[in-house]
Amino acid sequence: MAEKEINYDQKVVAAAPELKPEQRIHNEQKPKPQQEEKKASKLFPNSPLFQNWGENLSEENQKEAEALFEKYGYNVFLSDSLPLNRVLPDTREPKCVGKKYPKDLPSIAVVLIYLNEALSIIKRAIRSIIDRTPEHLLREIILVDDNSSNDDLKEDLDIYLKSIEAQNPWLRMVRVKHSESLGLAQARVSGFKAASADVVAILDAHIEVHNVWAEPLLTRIKEDRTVVVSPVFDSINYYDLDVVKYPPSAHAFDWALWCMYESFRPEWYKLNDTSLPGKSPSVMGILVADRKFLGEIGGLDGGMKVYGGENVELGVRVWLCGGSIEIIPCSKIAHIERNHKPYMRDLSMSMKRNALRAAEIWMDEYKDMVYYAWNIPLKDDVSERKKLREKLNCKPFKWYLDNVYPQLVTWENLVAYGGMKNLDANMCIDQGPVPGHIPIAYGCHYYGPQHTYYHSTGELYIGGIKSHKYNDNRCLADSGEDSVPDLYNCKEAVQKGMGILWSFTQGKEIKNRKTGRCLEMKEGTLVIQTCTGQTWEIQNIIRSF
């Protein structure tokens, strides 16, 4: 979900965090890939698919596997050889294993959303749901096809679904097909509208449910119909389809409304019981809710487009309009983390639009934070959803910040934001390669690496601004020791004795208050030197300074 990539002359290498041995869980029943006695050449040594999988695979199979990987973003070659009812490891918290649940629980509809998903992946999702959900609870499986073009998702899938219906006459199978691709957000709306069970679970199609996944969710909703719940997602590696255990975490977001994992509130940890539900500011998109309650608070927002932000909008709305959100550690679903999204690799435009829509409807005076985070505001007609908010008598967003998500930091003291351009050289300040502590001058493109924020107290944050109180921003700094500008976490820069406070007026110099030197351009490079009168301009002024 990254913003548009910027290619610098320097090579940037991002290191992924290593997994602890106990986090990796291998499916021992997985058959070995077809191998040849003679060791085959490695045809795609730089492909992410073959970094940790496919050793000794024949050249013919390597070609097929790589082509399928490019098309789908995960290992379809391997998926096609795995049993549809493969055994998943039990990754639940220890205290979950012995828990008992009532027999008399609400019925559930499971919605699977897909666009050109691999057929074997969809089959395995369906098989896992049928095999691991009690028959008396599972009323229907709803498949929402967002106008797929793959041939095997037509007749071949029809044949499979008819066989499922023949084997399980008690189960209602529903297919919803879009005549044009409307995006994930709209597909979820279609799935929700097609459901008739007491509870609706909206899932991706590239998942496998664990044993006893539904009972903990349904039990909690039976206790309180206003609680929207989510299972804990384990990750399925895109390359070898092994399952990686993920611990329970809250579903959170930043001011750009990108979703993220975060720790629960401190009171959850004080209970010393990881099987207990944890309060969450939002949902990741996979959610389970009482169908009538969700309908009463406006269902899913049909004004959201394509993908991104709709989950945060729903999370905020649930909290403000009489409900709450919880993560249920005893419910586990394994979810494939794609290497890439083949159908839309750059989600930033739809995400930006959806984020600003959510901000306009729900965030009151704090909507400005979302505009600052995205830099370029967009307009949208949200009058209908604002009327819904008034009708439901929902709480103000300040209540949400105070009571649900106090970790979010508000930026009332910002005075300007956007790209910072040197008017003499017609180039912008850029954070440059990360990791690194030297900002650079670069042609102005105004994407994330050039997002600059000027604080009323004089700090200049380069490369974005942090949304949470537990994070630190990266401040432009002058060490006073050389002509190279520095870019460090603000607290670290202060500890090093650097000057992080700058005097700046639109169209004039940027001068360090501690050293008296200016940030300037020299032969295409950013330098700190004796002021020569070079001038700067920032894109957006919030208030005069």
Side-chain angles (χ1 to χ4, degrees):
M1 294 191 294
E3 287 188 321
K4 181 177 179 181
E5 294 182 2
I6 308 302
N7 294 318
Y8 299 105
D9 293 334
Q10 300 93 332
K11 183 178 180 182
V12 182
V13 180
E18 293 186 0
L19 294 169
K20 297 178 180 178
E22 63 269 20
Q23 288 181 296
R24 291 192 52 81
I25 299 172
H26 297 276
N27 189 327
E28 296 180 356
Q29 296 192 2
K30 181 177 68 182
K32 298 290 185 182
Q34 183 179 338
Q35 298 182 2
E36 293 183 342
E37 291 183 8
K38 182 180 177 181
K39 189 170 183 179
S41 301
K42 214 169 185 180
L43 300 181
F44 307 99
N46 297 321
S47 169
L49 177 63
F50 291 100
Q51 297 306 304
N52 295 289
W53 175 83
E55 192 70 27
N56 296 328
L57 204 63
S58 72
E59 292 184 4
E60 180 182 353
N61 286 343
Q62 286 182 58
K63 292 177 182 177
E64 181 181 353
E66 178 65 15
L68 288 169
F69 173 66
E70 280 298 311
K71 182 176 181 179
Y72 292 100
Y74 49 69
N75 193 342
V76 177
F77 179 84
L78 176 58
S79 174
D80 290 347
S81 71
L82 292 177
L84 298 182
N85 62 343
R86 70 164 178 164
V87 177
L88 295 184
D90 190 345
T91 62
R92 291 175 295 169
E93 299 300 306
K95 288 188 178 181
C96 294
V97 177
K99 287 197 174 187
K100 303 295 181 182
Y101 300 97
K103 294 285 185 183
D104 182 20
L105 290 171
S107 62
I108 188 169
V110 180
V111 178
L112 298 177
I113 308 296
Y114 65 93
L115 170 62
N116 288 332
E117 202 83 62
L119 179 59
S120 62
I121 293 293
I122 297 177
K123 286 182 176 181
R124 193 170 294 109
I126 294 171
R127 187 75 263 163
S128 74
I129 292 164
I130 293 173
D131 291 347
R132 295 165 188 158
T133 311
E135 182 177 318
H136 72 285
L137 299 178
L138 182 60
R139 174 178 293 183
E140 55 206 356
I141 297 177
I142 300 166
L143 300 177
V144 183
D145 184 341
D146 193 31
N147 195 35
S148 296
S149 58
N150 290 0
D151 289 337
D152 61 359
L153 297 183
K154 298 172 184 176
E155 185 177 354
D156 290 351
L157 181 55
D158 285 335
I159 293 171
Y160 179 71
L161 294 180
K162 287 177 181 176
S163 71
I164 290 292
E165 290 176 322
Q167 296 166 17
N168 307 279
W170 50 272
L171 178 62
R172 179 175 178 247
M173 297 293 295
V174 181
R175 292 195 73 180
V176 179
K177 295 184 180 181
H178 289 170
S179 58
E180 60 179 314
S181 184
L182 300 176
L184 183 68
Q186 292 294 315
R188 286 173 176 155
V189 172
S190 298
F192 174 72
K193 289 180 176 178
S196 64
D198 301 322
V199 169
V200 180
I202 299 179
L203 314 178
D204 293 330
H206 43 275
I207 57 92
E208 295 168 63
V209 301
H210 286 263
N211 286 321
V212 199
W213 76 280
E215 293 92 318
L217 303 171
L218 297 174
T219 298
R220 185 68 188 101
I221 290 175
K222 183 180 180 180
E223 293 170 350
D224 184 350
R225 66 186 290 268
T226 69
V227 177
V228 175
V229 296
S230 176
V232 173
F233 315 142
D234 287 334
S235 179
I236 300 176
N237 293 331
Y238 65 82
Y239 49 92
D240 62 8
L241 302 186
D242 283 347
V243 176
V244 179
K245 178 180 178 179
Y246 273 26
S249 300
H251 298 174
F253 57 91
D254 61 16
W255 278 118
L257 305 198
W258 291 115
C259 56
M260 53 185 282
Y261 287 115
E262 194 173 76
S263 299
F264 290 121
R265 297 285 294 277
E267 50 266 30
W268 184 81
Y269 296 96
K270 290 178 182 177
L271 297 172
N272 199 29
D273 184 350
T274 54
S275 71
L276 295 176
K279 299 292 184 184
S280 181
S282 187
V283 287
M284 285 285 191
I286 290 180
L287 62 104
V288 184
D290 180 279
R291 181 173 59 86
K292 290 184 179 179
F293 170 72
L294 195 55
E296 290 165 7
I297 63 168
L300 302 177
D301 185 353
M304 292 292 179
K305 304 297 183 184
V306 188
Y307 174 78
E310 78 284 345
N311 54 316
V312 176
E313 185 278 335
L314 177 63
V316 171
R317 172 157 46 99
V318 167
W319 276 107
L320 293 182
C321 302
S324 61
I325 296 174
E326 292 180 0
I327 309 302
I328 310 298
C330 292
S331 175
K332 299 298 289 285
I333 289 181
H335 174 267
I336 296 178
E337 299 288 348
R338 293 182 193 263
N339 176 261
H340 56 269
K341 286 184 169 63
Y343 50 86
M344 190 175 185
R345 300 207 179 192
D346 183 5
L347 294 167
S348 60
M349 287 307 297
S350 63
M351 177 66 202
K352 181 190 300 183
R353 180 203 170 279
N354 291 347
L356 296 177
R357 176 181 173 86
E360 287 286 350
I361 298 169
W362 299 106
M363 295 186 177
D364 305 325
E365 67 271 26
Y366 298 96
K367 70 181 182 182
D368 292 352
M369 309 300 134
V370 181
Y371 280 70
Y372 301 161
W374 279 103
N375 191 29
I376 304 174
L378 299 178
K379 296 295 181 182
D380 192 19
D381 181 10
V382 297
S383 56
E384 183 178 342
R385 301 301 286 185
K386 283 190 173 182
K387 289 178 183 177
L388 170 70
R389 178 177 178 174
E390 294 174 5
K391 178 182 176 182
L392 295 172
N393 195 28
C394 300
K395 298 180 180 71
F397 191 70
K398 187 178 188 308
W399 176 90
Y400 178 86
L401 290 176
D402 291 341
N403 295 278
V404 178
Y405 205 8
Q407 295 97 320
L408 277 178
V409 61
T410 54
W411 301 325
E412 290 95 339
N413 293 322
L414 289 182
V415 292
Y417 68 103
M420 178 74 83
K421 179 194 290 186
N422 184 293
L423 298 178
D424 300 271
N426 197 31
M427 297 183 77
C428 284
I429 302 175
D430 192 298
Q431 69 176 0
V434 176
H437 296 290
I438 301 176
I440 63 174
Y442 202 81
C444 298
H445 51 66
Y446 303 122
Y447 289 106
Q450 293 183 357
H451 285 182
T452 301
Y453 297 83
Y454 187 49
H455 201 277
S456 61
T457 55
E459 293 98 335
L460 266 172
Y461 308 141
I462 309 297
I465 188 170
K466 302 299 183 183
S467 298
H468 302 92
K469 294 176 181 176
Y470 48 76
N471 288 329
D472 195 9
N473 289 292
R474 301 219 319 154
C475 275
L476 180 70
D478 179 5
S479 67
E481 298 175 354
D482 52 36
S483 63
V484 179
D486 295 285
L487 189 58
Y488 280 87
N489 286 347
C490 300
K491 293 177 183 176
E492 183 180 358
V494 171
Q495 291 172 353
K496 291 177 177 291
M498 297 177 171
I500 65 169
L501 303 183
W502 302 82
S503 295
F504 166 67
T505 301
Q506 185 78 318
K508 295 188 178 180
E509 63 190 12
I510 299 177
K511 186 174 185 178
N512 191 275
R513 296 178 186 176
K514 181 176 181 179
T515 65
R517 302 194 300 173
C518 283
L519 181 73
E520 297 192 342
M521 291 284 303
K522 185 176 182 180
E523 298 178 353
T525 302
L526 276 182
V527 296
I528 294 183
Q529 62 184 15
T530 301
C531 303
T532 66
Q534 290 187 21
T535 56
W536 296 82
E537 182 177 272
I538 196 166
Q539 271 184 296
N540 304 300
I541 304 296
I542 300 170
R543 58 178 181 270
S544 58
F545 56 92

